[in-house]
Amino acid sequence: MLKRISMLVLAGVTAMAMASCGGGGGGGTAAGDDKITMGFSQVGAESGWRTANTKSVQESAKAAGIELKFSDAQQKQENQIKAIRSFIQQRVDVIAFSPVVESGWDTVLKEAKNAKIPVILTDRAVDSPDTSLYKTFLGSDFVEEGRKAGKWLVEEFKDATGTVNIVELQGTTGSAPANDRKAGFAEVIQADPKFKVIASQTGDFTRAKGKEVMEAFLKAHPDIDVLYAHNDDMALGAIEAIEGAGKTPGKDIKIVSVDAVKDGMQALADGKINFIVECSPLLGPQLMDLAKKVVKGEQVPARVVTEETTFTQEQAKQALPSRQY
Ligand code: AHR
């Protein structure tokens, strides 16, 4: 009898030890040792920013000794949901993802929570009211980025007496950066009725779509003064369209965009773009630090905002030689 009780106690202790070795994660590291395994669902490869972000995440995971299971969703929410479900099945220790759109995540995030796998949002937010579904959100303040673009515009056209006709190239419909950059910009320019957004359409954050939509804008509106592009890639596509229409980007049509990737900064230095609001893609190192903490069950801040700046033409010329992305 005593022997049987000892066996039961031993079995209980072993079970408890096995349950605790996964920390905050999926009940044991998926790599089968102490190495943390992260499932990462990326939006896609739509822009220079995204390419730099992917590189940052992959390099930082390697440097931090974290095994990365990387999945590219090709800008489709259903692919991200599939990837997250597969990470849950594989019992990864932590899931990180950049949600392509803001809405529609509750069900899959609840599945991760029920499986006791912590989730980190990176770059983009979700609009779920239940913030217990994720541990933290690391990324930019997109509303503030829109405000910065608007403030530049107000200053640039402070002496203009007539109407300033603006066209807007929005990012992916329903995505946090598209929603927030639009809102922040509108908030600032609405104070002066001379600023008029005469057309606003998505260019899906890509160069090709930016060009296509700008071509349509130019045909419909011969009197465009300003282009506000939610990212550099769309601005670069639009520059091709403007030049194709026989106009001079940066002069006939002033351009303000967001990101500050190398190609955008070059266009700014060349005078084809007039002002860029920075959005940093180098989130990898902070993401890995946060991942280690949440897997250990440590407290992390609910929101970690990326530090960012803005660039004029002169500042772009100075920054370009050492620009990492
Ligand atoms: O979510 C960040 C945005 O996504 C970047 O500004 C844009 O270039 C990218 O596609």
Side-chain angles (χ1 to χ4, degrees):
M1 180 66 179
L2 194 63
K3 196 174 166 198
R4 202 166 156 249
I5 290 171
S6 321
M7 290 295 282
L8 283 173
V9 170
L10 186 66
V13 169
T14 311
M16 275 165 64
M18 282 177 70
S20 68
C21 75
T29 52
D33 50 29
D34 281 346
K35 197 170 189 178
I36 293 172
T37 301
M38 172 188 282
F40 185 90
S41 170
Q42 181 59 291
V43 167
E46 73 282 4
S47 62
W49 189 100
R50 191 62 56 195
T51 307
N53 180 248
T54 293
K55 190 165 173 262
S56 172
V57 170
Q58 288 174 334
E59 287 178 357
S60 308
K62 208 169 170 197
I66 290 179
E67 184 180 327
L68 189 71
K69 291 182 184 291
F70 183 90
S71 172
D72 177 339
Q74 298 175 346
Q75 293 245 65
K76 291 199 175 80
Q77 183 175 33
E78 70 251 35
N79 290 345
Q80 286 200 299
I81 292 175
K82 267 189 217 150
I84 293 169
R85 290 201 167 122
S86 146
F87 296 148
I88 295 171
Q89 257 182 0
Q90 293 173 64
R91 311 288 304 156
V92 298
D93 301 298
V94 56
I95 292 171
F97 82 116
S98 173
V100 60
V101 290
E102 285 190 282
S103 302
W105 298 102
D106 289 42
T107 304
V108 75
L109 290 180
K110 274 178 196 149
E111 289 168 25
K113 192 178 173 186
N114 290 341
K116 299 198 170 21
I117 300 179
V119 172
I120 299 177
L121 302 179
T122 172
D123 163 36
R124 297 184 183 179
V126 298
D127 63 5
S128 170
D130 183 358
T131 53
S132 78
L133 296 177
Y134 52 90
K135 295 287 176 195
T136 180
F137 165 36
L138 162 69
S140 310
D141 181 340
F142 296 134
V143 178
E144 189 53 30
E145 289 174 352
R147 286 192 195 113
K148 286 178 186 168
K151 282 177 191 161
W152 171 80
L153 186 71
V154 168
E155 179 60 24
E156 183 72 9
F157 284 86
K158 65 174 186 290
D159 298 327
T161 47
T163 304
V164 178
N165 289 328
I166 303 159
V167 293
E168 180 179 32
L169 280 170
Q170 295 179 38
T172 303
T173 305
S175 69
N179 294 342
D180 294 354
R181 286 174 189 164
K182 185 174 180 53
F185 183 77
E187 179 194 306
V188 172
I189 64 162
Q190 74 186 2
D192 188 337
K194 79 179 173 198
F195 295 111
K196 285 217 161 58
V197 179
I198 55 171
S200 180
Q201 209 177 301
T202 182
D204 220 6
F205 280 131
T206 68
R207 215 176 270 215
K209 208 65 199 302
K211 182 177 178 192
E212 189 188 307
V213 177
M214 190 67 198
E215 281 168 351
F217 283 167
L218 286 159
K219 277 189 194 129
H221 306 279
D223 49 356
I224 301 168
D225 299 307
V226 176
L227 163 66
Y228 168 41
H230 288 191
N231 80 344
D232 289 346
D233 279 77
M234 292 189 294
L236 292 163
I239 286 171
E240 289 177 34
I242 295 167
E243 287 174 337
K247 295 194 173 189
T248 308
K251 290 204 169 66
D252 296 332
I253 298 178
K254 299 268 169 106
I255 302 179
V256 52
S257 71
V258 185
D259 273 358
V261 294
K262 253 189 192 156
D263 288 355
M265 293 284 271
Q266 189 58 59
L268 177 56
D270 295 342
K272 295 185 178 191
I273 294 179
N274 304 84
F275 190 71
I276 299 184
V277 177
E278 185 183 42
C279 176
S280 175
L282 306 180
L283 304 176
Q286 277 171 297
L287 174 61
M288 300 309 147
D289 284 350
L290 289 165
K292 284 183 180 174
K293 288 185 178 148
V294 299
V295 169
K296 274 194 223 149
E298 287 176 19
Q299 280 295 317
V300 292
R303 177 77 170 102
V304 181
V305 183
T306 323
E307 272 182 37
E308 284 152 354
T309 184
T310 57
F311 293 96
T312 60
Q313 184 180 33
E314 276 318 302
Q315 288 164 333
K317 282 183 188 164
Q318 278 172 21
L320 257 172
S322 58
R323 199 77 185 148
Q324 285 182 56
Y325 54 90

Coordinates of all heavy atoms in Angstrom, one line a residue, residues 2 23 29 34 37 42 64 86 124 128-129 131 145 187 248 264 285 294 302 308-311 325:
L2 N 1.9 1.3 1.0 CA 2.8 2.4 1.0 C 3.5 2.6 -0.3 O 3.7 3.7 -0.8 CB 3.8 2.1 2.2 CG 4.6 3.4 2.6 CD1 3.7 4.4 3.2 CD2 5.6 3.0 3.7
G23 N 6.6 27.3 -19.1 CA 6.4 28.6 -18.7 C 5.0 29.1 -19.0 O 4.0 28.4 -18.8
T29 N 8.3 23.5 -24.3 CA 8.8 24.1 -25.5 C 8.7 23.2 -26.7 O 9.0 22.0 -26.6 CB 10.3 24.5 -25.3 OG1 11.0 23.4 -24.8 CG2 10.4 25.7 -24.3
D34 N 14.9 23.7 -23.9 CA 14.6 24.9 -23.2 C 14.5 26.1 -24.2 O 14.1 27.2 -23.9 CB 15.7 25.3 -22.2 CG 15.5 24.5 -20.9 OD1 14.4 24.0 -20.8 OD2 16.4 24.5 -20.1
T37 N 10.0 28.5 -28.7 CA 9.6 28.5 -30.1 C 8.5 29.5 -30.3 O 7.5 29.6 -29.6 CB 9.0 27.1 -30.5 OG1 10.0 26.1 -30.3 CG2 8.5 27.0 -31.9
Q42 N 3.2 36.7 -40.5 CA 3.5 38.0 -41.1 C 2.4 38.4 -42.1 O 1.8 37.5 -42.7 CB 4.9 38.0 -41.9 CG 5.3 39.2 -42.5 CD 5.5 40.4 -41.6 OE1 4.5 41.0 -41.1 NE2 6.7 40.9 -41.4
A64 N 18.6 35.9 -30.6 CA 18.0 35.7 -29.3 C 17.9 34.2 -29.0 O 17.5 33.8 -27.9 CB 16.6 36.3 -29.2
S86 N -2.5 26.6 -36.7 CA -1.4 25.6 -36.9 C -0.4 25.8 -35.8 O 0.1 24.8 -35.2 CB -0.8 25.7 -38.3 OG 0.5 25.4 -38.3
R124 N 0.8 46.0 -36.0 CA -0.6 46.4 -36.1 C -1.5 45.9 -35.0 O -1.3 44.8 -34.5 CB -1.2 45.9 -37.5 CG -0.5 46.5 -38.7 CD -1.1 46.0 -40.0 NE -0.4 46.5 -41.1 CZ -0.7 46.3 -42.4 NH1 -1.8 45.6 -42.6 NH2 0.0 46.8 -43.4
S128 N -10.4 44.2 -30.9 CA -11.1 43.5 -29.9 C -11.2 44.2 -28.6 O -10.2 44.7 -28.1 CB -10.4 42.1 -29.7 OG -11.0 41.5 -28.6
P129 N -12.4 44.3 -28.0 CA -12.5 45.0 -26.7 C -11.9 44.2 -25.6 O -11.6 44.7 -24.5 CB -14.0 45.1 -26.5 CG -14.7 44.2 -27.5 CD -13.7 43.9 -28.5
T131 N -9.0 42.8 -24.1 CA -7.5 43.0 -24.2 C -6.8 41.8 -23.5 O -5.6 41.7 -23.6 CB -7.0 44.3 -23.6 OG1 -7.6 44.4 -22.3 CG2 -7.5 45.5 -24.4
E145 N 1.3 59.4 -36.6 CA 1.9 59.5 -37.9 C 1.1 60.3 -38.8 O 1.6 61.2 -39.5 CB 2.2 58.1 -38.5 CG 3.2 57.3 -37.7 CD 3.4 55.9 -38.2 OE1 2.6 55.4 -39.0 OE2 4.3 55.2 -37.8
E187 N -7.9 64.8 -38.7 CA -8.0 65.6 -37.5 C -7.3 66.9 -37.5 O -7.8 67.9 -37.1 CB -7.5 64.7 -36.3 CG -7.5 65.3 -34.9 CD -6.6 64.5 -34.0 OE1 -6.8 63.3 -33.8 OE2 -5.7 65.2 -33.4
T248 N 5.5 67.3 -62.6 CA 6.7 67.1 -61.8 C 6.3 66.8 -60.4 O 5.8 67.7 -59.7 CB 7.6 68.4 -61.9 OG1 7.8 68.7 -63.3 CG2 8.9 68.2 -61.2
G264 N 12.1 55.5 -50.6 CA 11.4 56.7 -50.3 C 12.3 57.9 -49.9 O 12.1 59.0 -50.4
P285 N 14.2 43.1 -32.3 CA 14.8 43.0 -31.0 C 13.9 43.2 -29.8 O 13.9 42.4 -28.9 CB 15.9 44.1 -31.0 CG 16.2 44.3 -32.4 CD 14.9 44.1 -33.1
V294 N 7.2 37.1 -21.7 CA 5.8 36.5 -21.5 C 5.9 35.0 -21.4 O 5.1 34.4 -20.7 CB 4.8 36.9 -22.6 CG1 4.6 38.4 -22.7 CG2 5.2 36.4 -24.0
A302 N 1.3 46.8 -21.4 CA 0.2 46.5 -22.3 C 0.5 47.1 -23.7 O 0.0 46.5 -24.7 CB -1.1 47.0 -21.8
E308 N 9.9 57.3 -33.2 CA 10.0 57.6 -34.6 C 10.2 59.1 -34.8 O 9.9 59.9 -33.9 CB 8.7 57.1 -35.4 CG 8.8 55.7 -35.6 CD 7.4 55.0 -35.7 OE1 6.4 55.7 -35.5 OE2 7.4 53.8 -36.0
T309 N 10.7 59.5 -36.0 CA 10.9 60.9 -36.3 C 10.3 61.2 -37.6 O 9.4 60.5 -38.2 CB 12.5 61.1 -36.3 OG1 12.7 62.5 -36.5 CG2 13.2 60.3 -37.3
T310 N 10.7 62.4 -38.2 CA 10.2 62.8 -39.5 C 11.4 63.3 -40.3 O 12.5 63.6 -39.7 CB 9.2 64.0 -39.4 OG1 9.8 65.1 -38.7 CG2 7.9 63.6 -38.7
F311 N 11.3 63.3 -41.6 CA 12.4 63.8 -42.5 C 12.0 64.8 -43.5 O 11.0 64.6 -44.2 CB 13.0 62.5 -43.2 CG 13.6 61.5 -42.4 CD1 12.9 60.4 -41.9 CD2 14.9 61.7 -41.9 CE1 13.5 59.5 -41.1 CE2 15.5 60.7 -41.1 CZ 14.8 59.6 -40.7
Y325 N 17.5 50.3 -43.9 CA 16.4 49.6 -44.7 C 15.8 50.6 -45.7 O 16.0 51.8 -45.7 CB 15.3 49.1 -43.8 CG 14.7 50.1 -42.9 CD1 13.6 50.9 -43.3 CD2 15.2 50.4 -41.6 CE1 13.0 51.9 -42.5 CE2 14.7 51.4 -40.8 CZ 13.6 52.1 -41.2 OH 13.1 53.1 -40.4

